[in-house]
Amino acid sequence: MIQPVIAIHGGAGAMSRAAMTPEKEQEYLSALDGILAAGQAVLAAGGSALDAVTEAVRLLEDCPLFNAGHGAVFTSAATHELDASIMDGATLRSGAIAGVDCVRNPVLAARKVMEESKHVFFVGEGAEAFAREHGLDIVDPSYFSTDARREQLLRVQRETPGAAVLDHDGQALVANSQPAPAEPLDADKKLGTVGAVAVDAQGNLAAATSTGGITNKQVGRVGDAPLIGAGCYASNRTCAVSTTGTGEMFIRMVAAYDVAAQMEYAGTPLVEAARRVVEDKLPAIGGKGGLIAVDAQGNVTLPFNTEGMYRGYARVGEPPVASIYR
C-alpha cells in the first residue's frame, strides 16, 4: 500500500537572512504548512493526486507571498502575464495556458484545457476566452498587483534598467537609501514559480506548476512553467516533477522530463536523477533553481542549487515538513 504524499515549492533564490525577522520567516513557513495540510487532506480523503496538486497550486496562487496569481510580479510594462500547466501521470493528459492577465487561478484554467479541450496549450486572449467559456473566475488585472511587487519592479528598473531579474549572484538591487528586503529569500533575486507534485493511494502521479514570470521581463516572454517537459511533467511509469528557476535554462535542458527519462531509460533512482539535473546539468549552462519530485513508490526529493527554496512535503498521517534554507 502506497502512503500518499504531496510536495510543494514556492520559488528558489538568494538568502536575505540578515534583513529578515523571525516573524517573517514564520509567516512563510506557516503558509507552506497550511497549503501542504490542504493537499494532504485531499489525499487522506481518498482524493486523486490530480485533485491534490490542483488544490495546492490554487492556494499558492491565492497567497500574495508567492509569485503566482495574487502577488504575481510585473512585466517591464507594469502588467501581469500569468502561466500554468498541469499533467496527469496516469494518462499523460496535460493542459497549459500562458500570457493571461484576468484568470484568477491559472492552474484551474490549465486543468480545464486538459479535461475539456482536444488541445494542450492556449495562450493570451484565446486562453482567457476559453477560461470564460468554462465558467472560471475572471478578475480585473489589478487583482494580481500588490504594493510590494510594484516597488520591486520600480527598484529593478531604477538599479538595472532593461534587465529582467534572473541572476542570484549579482549585486543586491536595493539602493543604499532603500531598506533591505524583509523576505526570507531576497525578492529581487528570487526565481519565483509555485508548484506541486503528488502520488495518491492508487499509485497515480500528478504535477502542476504556475508562475507570474520574472520581474521586469519583456512583454510576451514565456518561461518553463507552462511547458510540459520543462517546468512540469508526470508519468506513472517514473515520477512527477515541478521546477522553479531560470526558465530559459530549464527549457533548454527539458529539465522536468530529463528526471523521468533517466529513470525510465537508465533505471536511475529518483533522488539521483533529480540531483544530476539540478547539481550537474543545469549549472553547466548557468541554470539556477530547483525542483520537487515524487515517484510512484512515494519517494520524494526537493533539490536546489540556490541558497534557498520555499518547499515542503506531507505524507498522509504525518505532520507536514516545510523549509526555506539548506
Side-chain angles (χ1 to χ4, degrees):
M1 183 72 176
I2 294 168
Q3 185 181 17
V5 60
I6 185 168
I8 65 173
H9 70 77
M15 292 189 295
S16 56
R17 249 176 168 158
M20 186 228 350
T21 64
E23 292 78 15
K24 193 68 176 179
E25 181 174 6
Q26 190 55 50
E27 184 181 359
Y28 277 83
L29 291 172
S30 295
L32 292 169
D33 274 340
I35 293 166
L36 283 167
Q40 181 186 47
V42 173
L43 296 172
S48 68
L50 200 59
D51 285 343
V53 299
T54 301
E55 177 64 2
V57 172
R58 183 188 71 81
L59 291 170
L60 285 161
E61 289 174 342
D62 284 350
C63 180
L65 295 175
F66 304 106
N67 173 25
H70 180 55
V73 298
F74 285 90
T75 69
S76 59
T79 57
H80 297 288
E81 294 179 346
L82 284 68
D83 312 326
S85 60
I86 193 167
M87 188 163 184
D88 178 3
T91 62
L92 303 186
R93 292 186 307 162
S94 53
I97 63 163
V100 302
D101 72 356
C102 64
V103 181
R104 173 172 172 159
N105 291 110
V107 70
L108 299 184
R111 181 155 178 184
K112 283 292 185 185
V113 171
M114 181 183 76
E115 294 180 335
E116 305 290 342
S117 165
K118 62 183 178 182
H119 305 302
V120 168
F121 202 164
F122 284 88
V123 301
E125 292 180 0
E128 292 166 357
F130 182 87
R132 283 190 177 92
E133 289 166 11
H134 289 84
L136 294 182
D137 197 359
I138 302 299
V139 295
D140 187 87
S142 63
Y143 164 79
F144 303 110
S145 305
T146 63
D147 291 342
R149 294 299 191 197
R150 189 175 295 278
E151 173 55 30
Q152 187 180 334
L153 172 68
L154 295 174
R155 204 160 52 226
V156 169
Q157 291 181 334
R158 186 168 59 239
E159 298 301 313
T160 54
V165 175
L166 280 174
D167 187 8
H168 289 259
D169 299 325
Q171 294 296 314
L173 297 172
V174 183
N176 292 333
S177 61
Q178 292 291 327
E183 288 80 15
L185 299 185
D186 186 341
D188 291 338
K189 295 189 286 180
K190 184 171 82 68
L191 304 172
T193 303
V194 306
V197 295
V199 61
D200 59 32
Q202 287 68 49
N204 292 319
L205 293 163
T209 308
S210 181
T211 189
I214 55 176
T215 297
N216 203 37
K217 79 177 183 78
Q218 187 170 336
V219 171
R221 176 264 187 187
V222 177
D224 63 315
L227 299 183
I228 300 302
C232 177
Y233 188 76
S235 169
N236 280 10
R237 293 171 61 90
T238 51
C239 62
V241 181
S242 175
T243 72
T244 177
T246 44
E248 283 73 8
M249 306 311 174
F250 281 72
I251 292 169
R252 288 162 56 185
M253 196 57 71
V254 199
Y257 178 68
D258 194 340
V259 177
Q262 290 182 60
M263 294 177 68
E264 182 161 9
Y265 300 131
T268 308
L270 174 74
V271 174
E272 175 60 14
R275 185 204 66 77
R276 288 178 184 173
V277 170
V278 172
E279 296 182 15
D280 298 339
K281 303 180 84 169
L282 282 164
I285 59 170
K288 293 179 179 295
L291 60 82
I292 56 172
V294 60
D295 66 17
Q297 288 71 50
N299 297 304
V300 176
T301 188
L302 307 92
F304 54 98
N305 61 30
T306 49
E307 293 169 89
M309 182 169 77
Y310 298 114
R311 66 199 187 279
Y313 66 93
R315 298 185 186 279
V316 169
E318 299 178 10
V321 177
S323 306
I324 299 173
Y325 306 111
R326 291 195 174 280

